[in-house]
mmCIF file of all heavy atoms in Angstrom:
data_model
loop_
_atom_site.group_PDB
_atom_site.id
_atom_site.type_symbol
_atom_site.label_atom_id
_atom_site.label_comp_id
_atom_site.label_asym_id
_atom_site.label_seq_id
_atom_site.Cartn_x
_atom_site.Cartn_y
_atom_site.Cartn_z
ATOM 1 N N ARG T 14 -243.569 42.358 16.292
ATOM 2 C CA ARG T 14 -244.040 42.801 14.985
ATOM 3 C C ARG T 14 -243.574 44.216 14.692
ATOM 4 O O ARG T 14 -243.233 44.548 13.554
ATOM 5 C CB ARG T 14 -245.568 42.712 14.945
ATOM 6 C CG ARG T 14 -246.094 41.277 14.813
ATOM 7 C CD ARG T 14 -247.582 41.271 14.477
ATOM 8 N NE ARG T 14 -248.377 41.869 15.542
ATOM 9 C CZ ARG T 14 -248.871 41.199 16.580
ATOM 10 N NH1 ARG T 14 -248.627 39.891 16.697
ATOM 11 N NH2 ARG T 14 -249.590 41.817 17.499
ATOM 12 N N LEU T 15 -243.532 45.055 15.719
ATOM 13 C CA LEU T 15 -243.076 46.435 15.542
ATOM 14 C C LEU T 15 -241.612 46.470 15.126
ATOM 15 O O LEU T 15 -241.233 47.160 14.162
ATOM 16 C CB LEU T 15 -243.286 47.213 16.834
ATOM 17 C CG LEU T 15 -242.816 48.687 16.821
ATOM 18 C CD1 LEU T 15 -243.594 49.474 15.772
ATOM 19 C CD2 LEU T 15 -242.979 49.301 18.216
ATOM 20 N N TRP T 16 -240.757 45.795 15.874
ATOM 21 C CA TRP T 16 -239.322 45.785 15.553
ATOM 22 C C TRP T 16 -239.052 45.101 14.213
ATOM 23 O O TRP T 16 -238.204 45.561 13.440
ATOM 24 C CB TRP T 16 -238.543 45.068 16.660
ATOM 25 C CG TRP T 16 -238.334 45.936 17.870
ATOM 26 C CD1 TRP T 16 -238.975 45.869 19.060
ATOM 27 C CD2 TRP T 16 -237.422 47.030 17.945
ATOM 28 N NE1 TRP T 16 -238.530 46.836 19.918
ATOM 29 C CE2 TRP T 16 -237.561 47.581 19.242
ATOM 30 C CE3 TRP T 16 -236.507 47.614 17.060
ATOM 31 C CZ2 TRP T 16 -236.830 48.679 19.685
ATOM 32 C CZ3 TRP T 16 -235.772 48.702 17.499
ATOM 33 C CH2 TRP T 16 -235.924 49.231 18.797
ATOM 34 N N PHE T 17 -239.789 44.051 13.939
ATOM 35 C CA PHE T 17 -239.596 43.372 12.647
ATOM 36 C C PHE T 17 -239.983 44.288 11.499
ATOM 37 O O PHE T 17 -239.312 44.338 10.463
ATOM 38 C CB PHE T 17 -240.441 42.091 12.606
ATOM 39 C CG PHE T 17 -240.317 41.339 11.307
ATOM 40 C CD1 PHE T 17 -239.208 40.545 11.036
ATOM 41 C CD2 PHE T 17 -241.321 41.455 10.333
ATOM 42 C CE1 PHE T 17 -239.099 39.881 9.835
ATOM 43 C CE2 PHE T 17 -241.205 40.796 9.124
ATOM 44 C CZ PHE T 17 -240.090 39.997 8.870
ATOM 45 N N GLY T 18 -241.084 45.033 11.671
ATOM 46 C CA GLY T 18 -241.511 45.960 10.628
ATOM 47 C C GLY T 18 -240.485 47.043 10.384
ATOM 48 O O GLY T 18 -240.190 47.411 9.241
ATOM 49 N N ARG T 19 -239.970 47.591 11.518
ATOM 50 C CA ARG T 19 -238.948 48.627 11.371
ATOM 51 C C ARG T 19 -237.697 48.076 10.669
ATOM 52 O O ARG T 19 -237.113 48.747 9.812
ATOM 53 C CB ARG T 19 -238.574 49.163 12.752
ATOM 54 C CG ARG T 19 -239.675 49.998 13.403
ATOM 55 C CD ARG T 19 -239.250 50.420 14.801
ATOM 56 N NE ARG T 19 -240.285 51.249 15.440
ATOM 57 C CZ ARG T 19 -240.214 51.686 16.688
ATOM 58 N NH1 ARG T 19 -239.143 51.371 17.436
ATOM 59 N NH2 ARG T 19 -241.177 52.440 17.197
ATOM 60 N N LEU T 20 -237.306 46.882 11.089
ATOM 61 C CA LEU T 20 -236.112 46.269 10.486
ATOM 62 C C LEU T 20 -236.340 45.995 9.006
ATOM 63 O O LEU T 20 -235.452 46.233 8.175
ATOM 64 C CB LEU T 20 -235.777 44.961 11.218
ATOM 65 C CG LEU T 20 -234.495 44.235 10.778
ATOM 66 C CD1 LEU T 20 -233.278 45.121 11.033
ATOM 67 C CD2 LEU T 20 -234.342 42.909 11.530
ATOM 68 N N PHE T 21 -237.529 45.551 8.683
ATOM 69 C CA PHE T 21 -237.838 45.268 7.277
ATOM 70 C C PHE T 21 -237.814 46.549 6.457
ATOM 71 O O PHE T 21 -237.259 46.588 5.343
ATOM 72 C CB PHE T 21 -239.201 44.587 7.185
ATOM 73 C CG PHE T 21 -239.638 44.311 5.780
ATOM 74 C CD1 PHE T 21 -239.114 43.243 5.058
ATOM 75 C CD2 PHE T 21 -240.574 45.141 5.155
ATOM 76 C CE1 PHE T 21 -239.508 43.006 3.746
ATOM 77 C CE2 PHE T 21 -240.960 44.913 3.844
ATOM 78 C CZ PHE T 21 -240.429 43.840 3.147
ATOM 79 N N LYS T 22 -238.417 47.598 6.993
ATOM 80 C CA LYS T 22 -238.442 48.874 6.278
ATOM 81 C C LYS T 22 -237.030 49.427 6.095
ATOM 82 O O LYS T 22 -236.678 49.942 5.032
ATOM 83 C CB LYS T 22 -239.298 49.875 7.047
ATOM 84 C CG LYS T 22 -240.787 49.578 7.002
ATOM 85 C CD LYS T 22 -241.564 50.611 7.817
ATOM 86 C CE LYS T 22 -243.062 50.296 7.824
ATOM 87 N NZ LYS T 22 -243.827 51.277 8.639
ATOM 88 N N THR T 23 -236.221 49.316 7.191
ATOM 89 C CA THR T 23 -234.833 49.790 7.098
ATOM 90 C C THR T 23 -234.066 49.004 6.047
ATOM 91 O O THR T 23 -233.336 49.578 5.227
ATOM 92 C CB THR T 23 -234.124 49.655 8.456
ATOM 93 O OG1 THR T 23 -234.843 50.391 9.441
ATOM 94 C CG2 THR T 23 -232.682 50.162 8.370
ATOM 95 N N GLY T 24 -234.229 47.700 6.074
ATOM 96 C CA GLY T 24 -233.551 46.861 5.077
ATOM 97 C C GLY T 24 -234.014 47.177 3.673
ATOM 98 O O GLY T 24 -233.216 47.205 2.729
#
Side-chain angles (χ1 to χ4, degrees):
R14 285 192 297 271
L15 178 62
W16 282 105
F17 179 78
R19 290 177 179 176
L20 184 62
F21 177 77
K22 289 179 182 179
T23 302

